[in-house]
Protein backbone atom coordinates (compact mmCIF):
# COMPACT_ATOMS: atom_id res chain seq x y z
CA UNK A 1 0.00 0.00 0.00
CA UNK A 2 1.25 3.48 -0.79
CA UNK A 3 2.34 5.86 1.91
CA UNK A 4 1.55 9.58 2.00
CA UNK A 5 5.12 10.42 0.92
CA UNK A 6 4.80 8.16 -2.13
CA UNK A 7 1.49 9.79 -3.05
CA UNK A 8 2.95 13.31 -2.75
CA UNK A 9 5.95 12.30 -4.83
CA UNK A 10 3.60 11.06 -7.57
CA UNK A 11 1.73 14.37 -7.48
CA UNK A 12 4.97 16.29 -7.96
CA UNK A 13 5.93 14.14 -10.94
CA UNK A 14 2.48 14.78 -12.43
CA UNK A 15 2.92 18.51 -11.69
CA UNK A 16 -0.29 18.59 -9.63
CA UNK A 17 -0.44 21.12 -6.80
CA UNK A 18 -1.35 19.55 -3.45
CA UNK A 19 -3.42 22.58 -2.42
CA UNK A 20 -5.72 22.02 -5.45
CA UNK A 21 -6.82 18.65 -4.05
CA UNK A 22 -8.94 17.41 -1.16
CA UNK A 23 -7.11 16.64 2.07
CA UNK A 24 -8.44 13.07 1.95
CA UNK A 25 -6.64 10.88 -0.59
CA UNK A 26 -8.14 7.52 -1.52
CA UNK A 27 -5.62 4.83 -2.28
CA UNK A 28 -7.40 2.06 -4.19
CA UNK A 29 -6.34 -1.57 -4.29
CA UNK A 30 -7.95 -4.70 -5.71
CA UNK A 31 -9.16 -7.34 -3.30
CA UNK A 32 -8.40 -11.04 -3.66
CA UNK A 33 -10.16 -12.88 -6.54
CA UNK A 34 -11.89 -9.78 -7.90
CA UNK A 35 -13.68 -10.46 -11.21
CA UNK A 36 -15.71 -8.34 -13.61
CA UNK A 37 -18.44 -11.00 -13.45
CA UNK A 38 -19.04 -10.48 -9.73
CA UNK A 39 -21.33 -7.46 -10.10
CA UNK A 40 -23.69 -5.80 -12.57
CA UNK A 41 -24.20 -2.05 -12.39
CA UNK A 42 -27.49 -0.33 -13.20
CA UNK A 43 -28.09 3.38 -13.74
CA UNK A 44 -31.18 4.63 -11.87
CA UNK A 45 -32.93 7.98 -12.10
CA UNK A 46 -34.01 9.93 -9.00
CA UNK A 47 -37.48 8.36 -9.01
CA UNK A 48 -36.17 4.80 -8.92
CA UNK A 49 -33.49 5.68 -6.36
CA UNK A 50 -36.16 7.01 -4.01
CA UNK A 51 -38.23 3.91 -4.76
CA UNK A 52 -35.36 1.67 -3.57
CA UNK A 53 -34.47 3.91 -0.61
CA UNK A 54 -38.09 3.68 0.56
CA UNK A 55 -37.67 -0.10 0.89
CA UNK A 56 -39.72 -0.99 -2.19
CA UNK A 57 -38.58 -3.53 -4.76
CA UNK A 58 -37.91 -3.65 -8.49
CA UNK A 59 -38.50 -6.81 -10.52
CA UNK A 60 -36.81 -7.98 -13.73
CA UNK A 61 -39.18 -10.03 -15.91
CA UNK A 62 -39.11 -11.76 -19.27
CA UNK A 63 -39.19 -15.22 -20.85
CA UNK A 64 -36.22 -16.77 -22.61
CA UNK A 65 -37.41 -15.57 -26.02
CA UNK A 66 -38.17 -12.02 -24.83
CA UNK A 67 -36.19 -8.93 -23.91
CA UNK A 68 -35.99 -8.48 -20.17
CA UNK A 69 -37.76 -5.49 -18.64
CA UNK A 70 -37.52 -3.92 -15.20
CA UNK A 71 -40.83 -3.23 -13.44
CA UNK A 72 -41.75 -1.01 -10.54
CA UNK A 73 -45.26 -0.87 -9.13
CA UNK A 74 -46.53 1.39 -11.91
CA UNK A 75 -43.83 1.71 -14.59
CA UNK A 76 -41.95 -0.52 -17.05
CA UNK A 77 -38.38 0.03 -18.23
CA UNK A 78 -36.46 -1.51 -21.11
CA UNK A 79 -33.01 -2.86 -20.16
CA UNK A 80 -30.10 -2.11 -22.44
CA UNK A 81 -26.38 -2.72 -21.91
CA UNK A 82 -24.30 0.44 -22.35
CA UNK A 83 -20.54 0.08 -22.85
CA UNK A 84 -18.12 2.67 -21.49
CA UNK A 85 -14.47 3.33 -22.26
CA UNK A 86 -13.82 4.08 -18.59
CA UNK A 87 -13.47 1.22 -16.13
CA UNK A 88 -16.26 1.37 -13.55
CA UNK A 89 -15.16 0.40 -10.04
CA UNK A 90 -17.37 -0.89 -7.25
CA UNK A 91 -15.90 0.65 -4.07
CA UNK A 92 -18.13 0.32 -0.97
CA UNK A 93 -17.61 3.08 1.58
CA UNK A 94 -15.81 5.38 -0.84
CA UNK A 95 -16.88 9.00 -0.40
CA UNK A 96 -17.34 11.45 -3.26
CA UNK A 97 -15.79 14.95 -3.08
CA UNK A 98 -19.09 16.56 -2.02
CA UNK A 99 -19.26 14.15 0.96
CA UNK A 100 -15.77 15.07 2.19
CA UNK A 101 -14.82 17.98 4.42
CA UNK A 102 -11.51 19.81 4.64
CA UNK A 103 -11.44 19.69 8.43
CA UNK A 104 -8.07 17.92 8.36
CA UNK A 105 -5.07 20.26 8.66
CA UNK A 106 -2.91 18.12 6.41
CA UNK A 107 -3.34 15.52 3.69
CA UNK A 108 -3.96 11.93 4.76
CA UNK A 109 -4.37 8.63 2.92
CA UNK A 110 -7.42 6.40 3.18
CA UNK A 111 -6.87 2.86 1.90
CA UNK A 112 -9.96 1.57 0.09
CA UNK A 113 -10.46 -1.87 -1.43
CA UNK A 114 -12.11 -2.46 -4.81
CA UNK A 115 -14.76 -5.16 -4.65
CA UNK A 116 -15.54 -5.38 -8.35
CA UNK A 117 -15.22 -3.72 -11.74
CA UNK A 118 -16.83 -3.69 -15.17
CA UNK A 119 -16.78 -1.73 -18.42
CA UNK A 120 -20.55 -1.73 -19.02
CA UNK A 121 -23.76 -1.06 -17.13
CA UNK A 122 -27.50 -1.51 -17.52
CA UNK A 123 -29.24 1.55 -18.91
CA UNK A 124 -32.99 1.99 -18.33
CA UNK A 125 -35.48 3.52 -20.74
CA UNK A 126 -39.12 3.95 -19.81
CA UNK A 127 -41.47 2.09 -22.14
CA UNK A 128 -45.15 1.30 -22.43
CA UNK A 129 -46.18 -2.03 -20.89
CA UNK A 130 -46.86 -4.78 -23.43
CA UNK A 131 -50.15 -6.45 -22.63
CA UNK A 132 -50.73 -8.72 -25.63
CA UNK A 133 -49.29 -11.76 -23.86
CA UNK A 134 -51.40 -11.01 -20.78
CA UNK A 135 -54.55 -10.76 -22.87
CA UNK A 136 -53.73 -14.03 -24.64
CA UNK A 137 -53.52 -15.80 -21.29
CA UNK A 138 -56.77 -14.26 -20.07
CA UNK A 139 -58.58 -15.11 -23.33
CA UNK A 140 -57.82 -18.81 -22.84
CA UNK A 141 -60.73 -18.88 -20.42
CA UNK A 142 -62.98 -15.79 -20.71
CA UNK A 143 -65.90 -15.38 -18.35
CA UNK A 144 -69.13 -16.19 -20.19
CA UNK A 145 -71.57 -15.88 -17.32
CA UNK A 146 -72.63 -18.13 -14.42
CA UNK A 147 -72.51 -21.89 -15.02
CA UNK A 148 -75.84 -23.49 -15.93
CA UNK A 149 -77.64 -26.38 -14.30
CA UNK A 150 -74.97 -27.51 -11.87
CA UNK A 151 -72.19 -27.41 -14.49
CA UNK A 152 -68.75 -26.68 -13.08
CA UNK A 153 -66.78 -23.90 -14.65
CA UNK A 154 -63.27 -24.62 -15.87
CA UNK A 155 -60.90 -22.51 -13.74
CA UNK A 156 -57.56 -24.08 -14.68
CA UNK A 157 -56.44 -21.11 -16.74
CA UNK A 158 -57.38 -18.36 -14.32
CA UNK A 159 -54.46 -16.07 -13.59
CA UNK A 160 -53.95 -13.73 -10.65
CA UNK A 161 -53.22 -10.62 -12.70
CA UNK A 162 -54.72 -7.31 -13.64
CA UNK A 163 -55.94 -5.73 -16.88
CA UNK A 164 -58.18 -2.74 -17.57
CA UNK A 165 -60.71 -4.98 -19.34
CA UNK A 166 -60.80 -7.61 -16.58
CA UNK A 167 -62.92 -8.13 -13.51
CA UNK A 168 -62.58 -9.89 -10.18
CA UNK A 169 -64.85 -12.93 -10.32
CA UNK A 170 -64.76 -15.15 -8.41
CA UNK A 171 -62.88 -13.30 -5.64
CA UNK A 172 -59.10 -13.46 -5.90
CA UNK A 173 -58.87 -14.01 -9.68
CA UNK A 174 -58.82 -11.71 -12.68
CA UNK A 175 -60.95 -12.67 -15.66
CA UNK A 176 -61.70 -11.02 -18.99
CA UNK A 177 -65.31 -10.93 -20.09
CA UNK A 178 -66.37 -12.77 -23.20
CA UNK A 179 -67.37 -10.02 -25.66
CA UNK A 180 -70.78 -11.52 -26.49
CA UNK A 181 -71.57 -11.81 -22.79
CA UNK A 182 -70.44 -8.21 -22.25
CA UNK A 183 -72.85 -7.08 -24.97
CA UNK A 184 -75.60 -9.16 -23.37
CA UNK A 185 -75.05 -7.29 -20.09
CA UNK A 186 -75.09 -3.94 -21.89
CA UNK A 187 -78.34 -4.92 -23.62
CA UNK A 188 -79.96 -5.68 -20.26
CA UNK A 189 -78.93 -2.28 -18.92
CA UNK A 190 -80.09 -0.25 -21.94
CA UNK A 191 -83.41 -2.14 -22.13
CA UNK A 192 -84.01 -1.44 -18.43
CA UNK A 193 -83.27 2.25 -18.95
CA UNK A 194 -85.74 2.31 -21.84
CA UNK A 195 -88.50 0.40 -20.00
CA UNK A 196 -88.20 2.62 -16.91
CA UNK A 197 -87.96 5.81 -19.02
CA UNK A 198 -84.79 6.83 -17.18
CA UNK A 199 -82.37 9.38 -18.49
CA UNK A 200 -79.09 7.88 -19.75
CA UNK A 201 -77.39 10.45 -17.55
CA UNK A 202 -79.08 9.21 -14.38
CA UNK A 203 -79.21 5.43 -14.02
CA UNK A 204 -79.72 4.38 -10.35
CA UNK A 205 -77.33 1.64 -9.29
CA UNK A 206 -79.39 -0.01 -6.54
CA UNK A 207 -82.60 -0.19 -8.58
CA UNK A 208 -80.69 -1.57 -11.56
CA UNK A 209 -79.13 -4.32 -9.45
CA UNK A 210 -82.49 -5.28 -7.94
CA UNK A 211 -84.31 -5.34 -11.30
CA UNK A 212 -81.62 -7.29 -13.17
CA UNK A 213 -80.59 -9.68 -10.36
CA UNK A 214 -82.85 -12.49 -11.67
CA UNK A 215 -81.02 -12.32 -15.01
CA UNK A 216 -77.32 -11.81 -14.16
CA UNK A 217 -75.04 -11.64 -11.09
CA UNK A 218 -75.06 -8.21 -9.43
CA UNK A 219 -71.26 -7.99 -9.77
CA UNK A 220 -71.59 -8.27 -13.53
CA UNK A 221 -74.25 -5.59 -13.79
CA UNK A 222 -72.19 -3.16 -11.72
CA UNK A 223 -69.08 -3.99 -13.75
CA UNK A 224 -70.98 -3.24 -16.97
CA UNK A 225 -72.09 0.12 -15.57
CA UNK A 226 -68.48 0.88 -14.59
CA UNK A 227 -67.29 0.05 -18.13
CA UNK A 228 -69.92 2.03 -20.01
CA UNK A 229 -70.77 4.82 -17.58
CA UNK A 230 -69.44 7.38 -15.13
CA UNK A 231 -70.30 6.84 -11.48
CA UNK A 232 -71.46 9.72 -9.27
CA UNK A 233 -73.36 10.26 -6.01
CA UNK A 234 -76.42 12.43 -5.47
CA UNK A 235 -78.27 12.69 -2.14
CA UNK A 236 -76.30 9.68 -0.85
CA UNK A 237 -77.51 7.54 -3.77
CA UNK A 238 -75.23 6.14 -6.48
CA UNK A 239 -76.04 6.86 -10.13
CA UNK A 240 -74.34 6.27 -13.48
CA UNK A 241 -74.24 8.49 -16.55
CA UNK A 242 -73.94 6.17 -19.54
CA UNK A 243 -71.16 7.27 -21.90
CA UNK A 244 -72.61 7.67 -25.40
CA UNK A 245 -69.31 7.08 -27.23
CA UNK A 246 -68.54 3.87 -25.31
CA UNK A 247 -72.01 2.42 -25.88
CA UNK A 248 -71.88 3.26 -29.59
CA UNK A 249 -68.37 1.76 -29.92
CA UNK A 250 -69.56 -1.44 -28.26
CA UNK A 251 -72.49 -1.81 -30.66
CA UNK A 252 -70.22 -1.09 -33.65
CA UNK A 253 -67.81 -3.84 -32.56
CA UNK A 254 -70.74 -6.24 -32.28
CA UNK A 255 -71.77 -5.49 -35.88
CA UNK A 256 -68.25 -5.55 -37.37
CA UNK A 257 -66.80 -8.60 -35.65
CA UNK A 258 -68.36 -11.13 -38.04
CA UNK A 259 -68.00 -9.18 -41.30
CA UNK A 260 -64.85 -8.89 -43.44
CA UNK A 261 -66.07 -5.62 -44.95
CA UNK A 262 -69.27 -3.65 -44.58
CA UNK A 263 -70.84 -1.20 -47.02
CA UNK A 264 -70.26 2.07 -45.15
CA UNK A 265 -73.67 3.62 -45.83
CA UNK A 266 -75.54 0.44 -44.88
CA UNK A 267 -73.38 0.02 -41.79
CA UNK A 268 -74.13 3.55 -40.59
CA UNK A 269 -77.87 2.92 -40.96
CA UNK A 270 -77.81 -0.41 -39.09
CA UNK A 271 -75.45 0.98 -36.46
CA UNK A 272 -77.73 3.93 -35.66
CA UNK A 273 -80.70 1.59 -35.39
CA UNK A 274 -78.83 -0.71 -32.99
CA UNK A 275 -78.02 1.92 -30.35
CA UNK A 276 -80.57 3.07 -27.76
CA UNK A 277 -82.96 5.87 -28.73
CA UNK A 278 -81.48 9.24 -27.87
CA UNK A 279 -77.90 8.26 -28.68
CA UNK A 280 -76.16 9.36 -31.89
CA UNK A 281 -73.50 7.42 -33.77
CA UNK A 282 -70.49 9.14 -35.38
CA UNK A 283 -67.53 7.70 -37.28
CA UNK A 284 -65.07 9.49 -35.01
CA UNK A 285 -66.29 7.17 -32.21
CA UNK A 286 -64.60 4.30 -34.06
CA UNK A 287 -61.01 5.56 -33.98
CA UNK A 288 -58.55 2.70 -33.34
CA UNK A 289 -61.21 -0.01 -33.80
CA UNK A 290 -62.43 0.37 -37.41
CA UNK A 291 -60.98 1.55 -40.71
CA UNK A 292 -62.97 3.36 -43.40
CA UNK A 293 -61.94 2.98 -47.05
CA UNK A 294 -63.05 6.09 -48.90
CA UNK A 295 -61.26 5.06 -52.11
CA UNK A 296 -63.38 1.96 -52.73
CA UNK A 297 -66.71 2.09 -54.53
CA UNK A 298 -68.96 1.79 -52.64
CA UNK A 299 -67.13 3.08 -49.56
CA UNK A 300 -66.50 0.34 -46.99
CA UNK A 301 -65.65 -0.10 -43.34
CA UNK A 302 -63.90 -3.03 -41.63
CA UNK A 303 -62.82 -4.03 -38.15
CA UNK A 304 -59.22 -3.06 -37.34
CA UNK A 305 -58.47 -2.87 -33.63
CA UNK A 306 -55.20 -1.36 -32.47
CA UNK A 307 -54.93 -4.03 -29.75
CA UNK A 308 -54.67 -6.70 -32.47
CA UNK A 309 -51.65 -5.05 -34.13
CA UNK A 310 -47.98 -5.93 -33.39
CA UNK A 311 -46.54 -4.23 -30.30
CA UNK A 312 -43.11 -3.66 -31.84
CA UNK A 313 -42.94 -0.26 -33.59
CA UNK A 314 -41.27 -1.41 -36.83
CA UNK A 315 -43.51 -4.47 -37.09
CA UNK A 316 -46.56 -2.25 -36.50
CA UNK A 317 -45.65 0.09 -39.38
CA UNK A 318 -44.84 -2.82 -41.70
CA UNK A 319 -48.19 -4.43 -40.92
CA UNK A 320 -50.10 -1.19 -41.50
CA UNK A 321 -48.40 -0.63 -44.86
CA UNK A 322 -49.30 -4.17 -45.97
CA UNK A 323 -52.95 -3.34 -45.25
CA UNK A 324 -52.83 -0.03 -47.09
CA UNK A 325 -50.00 1.37 -49.21
CA UNK A 326 -50.67 5.02 -48.38
CA UNK A 327 -52.23 6.50 -45.25
CA UNK A 328 -53.43 9.96 -44.37
CA UNK A 329 -52.23 11.27 -41.03
CA UNK A 330 -55.82 11.27 -39.75
CA UNK A 331 -56.26 7.57 -40.57
CA UNK A 332 -52.92 6.27 -39.27
CA UNK A 333 -52.64 8.31 -36.06
CA UNK A 334 -55.10 6.19 -33.98
CA UNK A 335 -53.03 3.09 -34.86
CA UNK A 336 -49.65 4.47 -33.78
CA UNK A 337 -50.59 6.78 -30.89
CA UNK A 338 -49.94 4.08 -28.30
CA UNK A 339 -46.39 3.59 -29.64
CA UNK A 340 -45.30 7.08 -28.57
CA UNK A 341 -42.78 7.11 -25.77
CA UNK A 342 -42.45 9.80 -23.14
CA UNK A 343 -42.42 13.26 -24.80
CA UNK A 344 -42.65 11.61 -28.24
CA UNK A 345 -45.23 12.59 -30.86
CA UNK A 346 -46.88 10.67 -33.71
CA UNK A 347 -45.24 13.15 -36.07
CA UNK A 348 -41.81 12.05 -34.86
CA UNK A 349 -42.74 8.39 -35.41
CA UNK A 350 -43.98 9.11 -38.93
CA UNK A 351 -40.78 11.00 -39.76
CA UNK A 352 -38.70 8.01 -38.64
CA UNK A 353 -40.70 5.11 -40.06
CA UNK A 354 -42.59 6.57 -43.04
CA UNK A 355 -42.09 8.80 -46.08
CA UNK A 356 -44.52 11.62 -46.84
CA UNK A 357 -45.80 12.85 -50.20
CA UNK A 358 -48.71 14.83 -51.58
CA UNK A 359 -51.63 13.12 -53.29
CA UNK A 360 -54.49 15.23 -54.66
CA UNK A 361 -53.44 18.04 -52.32
CA UNK A 362 -53.47 15.79 -49.23
CA UNK A 363 -50.35 14.66 -47.39
CA UNK A 364 -50.06 10.86 -47.30
CA UNK A 365 -47.51 8.48 -45.78
CA UNK A 366 -46.03 5.29 -47.19
CA UNK A 367 -43.28 2.89 -46.13
CA UNK A 368 -39.62 3.89 -46.32
CA UNK A 369 -38.74 0.42 -47.57
CA UNK A 370 -40.46 -2.20 -49.76
CA UNK A 371 -43.04 -4.14 -47.78
CA UNK A 372 -43.96 -7.73 -48.61
CA UNK A 373 -47.67 -8.08 -49.28
Amino acid sequence: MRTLDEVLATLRIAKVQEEDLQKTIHCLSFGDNVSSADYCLMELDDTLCKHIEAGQSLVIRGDKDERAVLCSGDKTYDLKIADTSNLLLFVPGCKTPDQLTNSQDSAHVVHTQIWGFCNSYWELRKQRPKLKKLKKVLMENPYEGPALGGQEENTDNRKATRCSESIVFPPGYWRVLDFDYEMKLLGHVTQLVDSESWSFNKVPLQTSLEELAPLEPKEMIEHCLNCYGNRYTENDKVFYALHEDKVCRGMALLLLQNAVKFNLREFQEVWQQSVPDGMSTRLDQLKSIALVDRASRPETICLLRVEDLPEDTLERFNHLFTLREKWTEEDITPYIQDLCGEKQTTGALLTKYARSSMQNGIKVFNSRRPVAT
Side-chain angles (χ1 to χ4, degrees), residues 337-353:
Q337 193 113 38
D338 63 309
L339 298 175
C340 293
E342 196 172 16
K343 298 180 181 178
Q344 190 178 32
T345 64
T346 54
L349 283 177
L350 287 169
T351 299
K352 183 176 180 180
Y353 292 97

Side-chain angles (χ1 to χ4, degrees), residues 46-99:
D46 289 341
T47 302
L48 289 178
C49 282
K50 291 176 182 177
H51 185 87
I52 292 292
E53 291 167 355
Q56 300 185 55
S57 62
L58 299 173
V59 181
I60 295 177
R61 296 187 181 278
D63 284 344
K64 293 179 180 179
D65 58 343
E66 298 173 333
R67 288 190 59 150
V69 294
L70 182 134
C71 304
S72 65
D74 57 356
K75 291 181 176 62
T76 303
Y77 297 84
D78 187 33
L79 286 167
K80 181 181 178 182
I81 292 180
D83 295 321
T84 174
S85 57
N86 297 320
L87 192 64
L88 301 173
L89 304 178
F90 184 45
V91 188
C94 184
K95 293 184 178 180
T96 56
D98 59 307
Q99 295 173 317

Side-chain angles (χ1 to χ4, degrees), residues 31 56 168 170 193 221 238 257 260 285 306 317 347:
Q56 300 185 55
V168 179
V193 172
I221 300 301
V238 178
Q257 66 174 346
V260 177
Q285 294 168 335
V306 66
F317 273 93

Side-chain angles (χ1 to χ4, degrees), residues 12-160:
R12 286 192 292 272
I13 294 172
K15 296 182 180 181
V16 176
Q17 298 298 320
E18 181 182 343
E19 55 268 21
D20 293 337
L21 305 177
Q22 296 278 354
K23 297 298 183 183
T24 301
I25 301 170
H26 283 284
C27 185
L28 304 179
S29 61
F30 286 95
D32 297 334
N33 301 319
V34 173
S35 169
S36 62
D38 290 342
Y39 299 95
C40 290
L41 301 181
M42 183 179 293
E43 185 180 52
L44 302 181
D45 59 21
D46 289 341
T47 302
L48 289 178
C49 282
K50 291 176 182 177
H51 185 87
I52 292 292
E53 291 167 355
Q56 300 185 55
S57 62
L58 299 173
V59 181
I60 295 177
R61 296 187 181 278
D63 284 344
K64 293 179 180 179
D65 58 343
E66 298 173 333
R67 288 190 59 150
V69 294
L70 182 134
C71 304
S72 65
D74 57 356
K75 291 181 176 62
T76 303
Y77 297 84
D78 187 33
L79 286 167
K80 181 181 178 182
I81 292 180
D83 295 321
T84 174
S85 57
N86 297 320
L87 192 64
L88 301 173
L89 304 178
F90 184 45
V91 188
C94 184
K95 293 184 178 180
T96 56
D98 59 307
Q99 295 173 317
L100 297 171
T101 62
N102 285 318
S103 58
Q104 298 283 343
D105 294 332
S106 59
H108 64 286
V109 177
V110 175
H111 293 282
T112 308
Q113 195 171 72
I114 299 169
W115 283 23
F117 65 92
C118 57
N119 55 8
S120 63
Y121 62 94
W122 287 104
E123 193 175 54
L124 301 182
R125 185 176 60 182
K126 193 182 297 183
Q127 66 164 216
R128 65 190 184 282
K130 297 182 178 180
L131 302 177
K132 183 163 286 190
K133 183 178 178 181
L134 170 62
K135 184 174 181 181
K136 181 181 178 182
V137 172
L138 288 169
M139 288 305 296
E140 290 176 2
N141 187 30
Y143 183 73
E144 300 175 346
L148 301 175
Q151 295 178 350
E152 291 189 5
E153 186 187 7
N154 175 24
T155 58
D156 292 340
N157 294 327
R158 293 186 304 192
K159 304 295 180 182

